[in-house]
Amino acid sequence: MSESSDLRMTRIPLNHGTGRMPALGFGTLIPDPALTITATRDALAAGFRHFDCAERYGNEREVGQAFQTGLAAGRIVREEIFVTTKLWNTNHRPERVEAAFEASRERLGLEYLDLYLSHTPFAFQPGDNQDPRDQNGNVIYDHGVTLLDTWKAMESLVDRGKCRAIGLSDIGLDELKPIYEAAKIKPSAVQVESHPYLPETELLKFCQEKGIVLLAFAPLGHGIRPGPLEDPIIVAIAARVGKTPAQVLLAWAVQRGTALLTTPRSAARAKENFDISPLPQDALDQINHIQTRQRLNPVVKTGVPGFIPQGK
Ligand SMILES: NC(=O)c1ccc[n+]([C@@H]2O[C@H](COP(=O)([O-])OP(=O)(O)OC[C@H]3O[C@@H](n4cnc5c(N)ncnc54)[C@H](OP(=O)(O)O)[C@@H]3O)[C@@H](O)[C@H]2O)c1
């Protein structure tokens, strides 16, 4: 699937258009605005060329500011970076999709987006409140719109040249298949939690058969300890190959054909997370045989993000 033996340069061709997604992606789920700017800047400097954003993260303007600094300094050109953002659950009604997209695009300060994802398959009550709740604190869902309705509105954005590809996030195989079958423009990417404790093997197989990029979030298990970063097999492989556990987990993800999103917040971590190199086959086999199974982020069950701080 990939086109380079240098893992850091791996770009995965998309099934729609001519775009190629850099396998190593930087995720912008960073609550602090100032840290968003410095971390995005440091990621660019370290070599990351793929950036994952979302209207729900509340920091597209800061991410855009870091892009503008990099672009203005002439260090990078727009075509070199691959930028994704996501439609939030309160904007699933078809008549809300374009306005939500344009607002994100404007905040990011870009003329086009490379990829637009529906953030989750769950539609929430439409409106400006991103976290609509009833008096008992339960999320108010919107049952008047289907994911396919939303998808068709997203297809129209591609048809009109506003974004180059579209995809889905936090979706399981059973929900993905009907969208894939009905879609005029097939999903180019599916963003889900994935790491050695949640390899999503069946979903990955389907995606690879259909040319869909599986874009793994939490490749380091969201940094939760104990977790994949402290797994004895990962730690032993890291010692053997002279890399850090994080680098082992990221290399494994790229070598199995997925793209990934990681969120280093300092320049040193950005360099570390970008500096991956291929693992030997026996190490890949060992990781593939890890038996622990753990989902860390419950967002797929409710559409409520697990790691967005209160007040955002
Ligand atoms: N679609 C969705 O619903 C969804 C959900 C969650 C995330 N995402 C996307 O995925 C992106 C990635 O988020 P993530 O949480 O999965 O990122 P991650 O990089 O897997 O995990 C981040 C955590 O790992 C730690 N970390 C980062 N680099 C490390 C290293 N080299 N060694 C040890 N620890 C390290 C960080 O610690 P420090 O903070 O101390 O650096 C942080 O606690 C997000 O920014 C977002 O774009 C999407």
Side-chain angles (χ1 to χ4, degrees):
M1 219 181 184
S2 71
E3 290 187 346
S4 167
S5 57
D6 182 344
L7 289 192
R8 298 169 305 171
M9 298 301 138
T10 304
R11 282 182 174 252
I12 307 175
L14 299 187
N15 62 4
H16 185 85
T18 55
R20 293 179 309 137
M21 180 193 286
L24 268 176
F26 173 78
T28 65
L29 177 43
I30 301 172
D32 182 79
L35 190 56
T36 299
I37 298 174
T38 56
T40 306
R41 184 201 60 200
D42 291 342
L44 269 169
F48 284 91
R49 293 293 179 264
H50 168 180
F51 296 84
D52 180 74
C53 315
E55 58 173 308
R56 184 69 180 94
Y57 300 164
N59 61 358
E60 289 172 310
R61 220 170 272 292
E62 286 78 14
V63 176
Q65 211 175 309
F67 289 156
Q68 299 322 315
T69 309
L71 293 168
R75 289 194 300 273
I76 46 161
V77 294
R78 172 65 185 93
E79 291 295 325
E80 271 178 60
I81 55 171
F82 186 100
V83 183
T84 302
T85 197
K86 309 189 199 80
L87 177 80
W88 183 238
N89 302 352
T90 47
N91 288 321
H92 275 212
R93 293 256 168 175
E95 64 274 18
R96 295 180 69 88
V97 169
E98 181 168 356
F101 173 88
E102 284 298 340
S104 283
R105 191 186 62 72
E106 185 271 325
R107 285 189 291 266
L108 287 163
L110 300 173
E111 281 183 12
Y112 67 89
L113 286 166
D114 297 276
L115 179 66
Y116 197 45
L117 304 178
S118 74
H119 201 143
T120 86
F122 296 89
F124 288 3
Q125 175 181 272
D128 293 336
N129 178 3
Q130 293 189 323
D131 189 21
R133 304 270 173 164
D134 65 17
Q135 64 272 32
N136 299 318
N138 298 314
V139 172
I140 306 173
Y141 291 96
D142 178 4
H143 300 292
V145 59
T146 67
L147 188 57
L148 186 57
D149 297 334
T150 308
W151 185 259
K152 287 181 180 160
M154 292 168 69
E155 288 181 332
S156 155
L157 296 175
V158 179
D159 282 338
R160 286 175 297 130
K162 289 174 178 280
C163 65
R164 299 196 163 169
I166 47 179
L168 299 151
S169 166
D170 296 325
I171 194 159
L173 193 48
D174 290 346
E175 297 156 298
L176 171 61
K177 278 181 177 167
I179 297 290
Y180 182 86
E181 292 307 327
K184 179 170 72 83
I185 298 174
K186 304 298 181 194
S188 289
V190 170
Q191 183 181 129
V192 293
E193 176 181 343
S194 187
H195 42 73
Y197 291 180
L198 192 63
E200 292 285 15
T201 312
E202 206 186 337
L203 180 63
L204 178 59
K205 183 168 175 284
F206 178 83
C207 286
Q208 289 182 328
E209 281 166 11
K210 306 296 185 193
I212 301 169
V213 181
L214 192 151
L215 178 50
F217 76 76
L220 308 179
H222 280 319
I224 293 170
R225 294 165 193 265
L229 275 170
E230 287 183 345
D231 185 279
I233 291 176
I234 300 296
V235 172
I237 292 171
R240 170 154 71 95
V241 301
K243 287 284 184 180
T244 66
Q247 290 168 331
V248 169
L249 288 165
L250 300 177
W252 171 79
V254 177
Q255 284 180 267
R256 72 197 290 254
T258 71
L260 62 87
L261 299 170
T262 176
T263 307
R265 297 173 197 227
S266 66
R269 281 235 165 119
K271 280 191 192 135
E272 177 187 339
N273 291 5
F274 193 74
D275 182 25
I276 59 169
S277 44
L279 299 172
Q281 187 58 47
D282 64 333
L284 298 174
D285 293 342
Q286 271 185 292
I287 301 173
N288 290 334
H289 283 99
I290 289 176
Q291 296 299 316
T292 310
R293 288 291 170 265
Q294 192 179 7
R295 180 183 292 284
L296 300 161
N297 195 319
V299 59
V300 283
K301 294 181 187 130
T302 60
V304 178
F307 294 93
I308 291 186
Q310 298 293 325
K312 269 277 174 185

